[in-house]
Amino acid sequence: MAEKPQPVRVLYCQVCSLPAEYCEFGSDFEKCKPWLIQNAPDLYPDLLKEADSKEADKVAQQLQSTALSSGSADGSAPSGGASASKQEEVKRLPGGKIKRKEKQEVVIEKIVRNKRKCITTVKGLELFGIKLSDASKKLGKKFATGASVVKGPTEKEQIDVQGDIAYDIVEFITETWPDVPETAIFFIEDGRKVAAA
Amino acid sequence: MFKKFSSEDVSSQNQVKASVQRKIRQSIADEYPGLEPVLDDLLPKKSPLIVAKCQNHLNLVLVNNVPLFFNVRDGPYMPTLRLLHQYPNIMKKLQVDRGAIKFVLAGANIMCPGLTSPGGVLDDDVAEESPVAIMAEGKQHALAIGFTKMSAKDIRAINKGIGVDNMHYLNDGLWKMERLD
Ligand SMILES: [Zn+2]
């Protein structure tokens, strides 16, 4: 008797349903990009570079706007000098062990699958000394839904919450964990990082 | 074939008799010996096998509402792409070059030059009129299920026209029909 072959698990894109490696040939590659950066970064290394350079641009922009301390010309970038200095403050929080220079921020992203169903991922709470298992329980309870701690694509743990709770979640986080300032919470929208505040 | 396929094209869905079920199992086992060890998991003897008859003499074989195989008239059964992705080695493979990917994904049949160019790969064991997995240059997973119009050797020698009919491809109607309820 031949040996039983194990089924191969293919990474399907939750945006366009194709195997992730074929997203570039799908009907709307742009829409897949945020999901791919999160879930299949090694398939599209260029995307990551793209995102990184965008990020770098943003930082540069931020530095510039603090230096000049004039109103930013671009209204869509709500990154004033105030938020930058606040982030400096929260660096000295209890817990002590600051791993390298990881930016202390919470990143929230809504991931759509099958058109209607979606999950909201929350990353970075642990950077504020919050226990993820606790946080996951609280989130599940608050939004009456399933929430779990999972290993993200970069091997870092994140919380996946069933359903679209992206907009209520900010208030909940800042109320439940006062150590997390609203200015440190970001959304990923269309592959771009947007401040929640 | 599945370009505009949807559940509206299904004209009837019937649980088949035990004898027919045996026949279907047998022809699948004959066509894909590599599947035999998992055939009991895929087509459990106890779960009813459903055959959905569709337009253009097309039949779908379903278990628990999931399409697993299809065939045309009495032709060979071919796996759906989702099934093939799980068991990629059950079919012989031909590979198209990168330039052909977008045409295949638009439903075009596979032209010989797309298989004979440097990015393509031909398996000389592939005969005429046989089901094959269509792979693509630089990609790990199949993007289509084809039915050869010429043998691999002829594809290489003739090198023009349609070499393989595109039966089922990523994002066609059958791909989108993960379940038929
Ligand atoms: Zn995609």
Side-chain angles (χ1 to χ4, degrees), chain B residues 71-132:
Chain B
N71 76 338
V72 181
R73 294 177 200 269
D74 293 324
Y77 287 93
M78 291 177 244
T80 58
L81 276 166
R82 282 180 212 275
L83 179 62
L84 176 69
H85 285 161
Q86 290 183 56
Y87 302 100
N89 298 320
I90 60 171
M91 293 180 95
K92 293 215 167 78
K93 298 167 186 164
L94 298 180
Q95 179 177 305
V96 296
D97 60 30
R98 193 177 155 89
I101 296 177
K102 65 171 186 284
F103 297 105
V104 175
L105 294 185
N109 291 324
I110 291 109
M111 312 301 279
C112 296
L115 295 160
T116 55
S117 75
V121 177
L122 280 168
D123 172 352
D124 276 338
D125 290 340
V126 172
E128 181 186 3
E129 310 234 302
S130 55
V132 279

Side-chain angles (χ1 to χ4, degrees), chain A residues 8 12 17 21-22 24, chain B residues 85-86 98 139-141 175:
Chain A
V8 174
Y12 292 121
S17 88
E21 58 179 358
Y22 284 105
E24 56 176 326
Chain B
H85 285 161
Q86 290 183 56
R98 193 177 155 89
K139 304 291 180 200
Q140 194 188 347
H141 306 293
W175 173 261

Side-chain angles (χ1 to χ4, degrees), chain A:
Chain A
M1 195 70 193
E3 215 174 296
K4 211 168 174 172
Q6 284 302 309
V8 174
R9 285 193 56 184
V10 177
L11 179 67
Y12 292 121
C13 171
Q14 288 181 7
V15 180
C16 73
S17 88
L18 300 185
E21 58 179 358
Y22 284 105
C23 284
E24 56 176 326
F25 292 100
S27 49
D28 199 344
F29 187 30
E30 286 302 317
K31 275 196 188 144
C32 300
K33 282 180 179 176
W35 186 89
L36 290 168
I37 290 174
Q38 295 288 314
N39 297 280
D42 33 323
L43 278 177
Y44 297 97
D46 289 351
L47 280 187
L48 222 57
K49 267 183 240 154
E50 223 173 85
D52 280 351
S53 69
K54 264 188 206 160
E55 195 69 2
D57 285 352
K58 219 181 235 176
V59 172
Q61 216 178 25
Q62 210 168 40
L63 286 174
Q64 217 170 32
S65 70
T66 12
L68 297 172
S69 80
S70 62
S72 88
D74 183 3
S76 71
S79 55
S83 76
S85 60
K86 247 187 196 164
Q87 266 173 20
E88 288 295 314
E89 277 167 40
V90 292
K91 261 184 187 158
R92 285 172 277 109
L93 271 177
K97 45 173 180 182
I98 294 166
K99 272 199 245 160
R100 280 188 278 144
K101 279 188 280 172
E102 203 152 34
K103 243 203 259 160
Q104 246 188 337
E105 58 188 27
V106 176
V107 180
I108 296 162
E109 182 176 13
K110 189 175 98 175
I111 293 167
V112 182
R113 53 168 130 177
N114 301 341
K115 285 193 185 135
R116 292 222 171 149
K117 286 177 212 162
C118 71
I119 52 174
T120 305
T121 66
V122 184
K123 290 179 197 163
L125 283 174
E126 75 281 2
L127 301 173
F128 294 87
I130 297 163
K131 233 177 130 188
L132 290 189
S133 52
D134 268 5
S136 150
K137 259 181 231 150
K138 284 193 175 127
L139 284 166
K141 212 167 175 188
K142 163 73 182 174
F143 297 101
T145 181
S148 53
V149 180
V150 297
K151 268 241 167 82
T154 50
E155 290 291 292
K156 268 174 69 180
E157 288 190 319
Q158 63 182 50
I159 299 175
D160 281 4
V161 187
Q162 305 281 329
D164 177 8
I165 56 159
Y167 282 93
D168 307 315
I169 203 173
V170 178
E171 204 185 341
F172 179 72
I173 290 176
T174 51
E175 274 174 12
T176 316
W177 300 285
D179 281 348
V180 184
E182 205 172 337
T183 47
I185 302 178
F186 295 86
F187 288 106
I188 304 271
E189 276 171 7
D190 299 326
R192 250 189 264 161
K193 213 151 127 193
V194 183

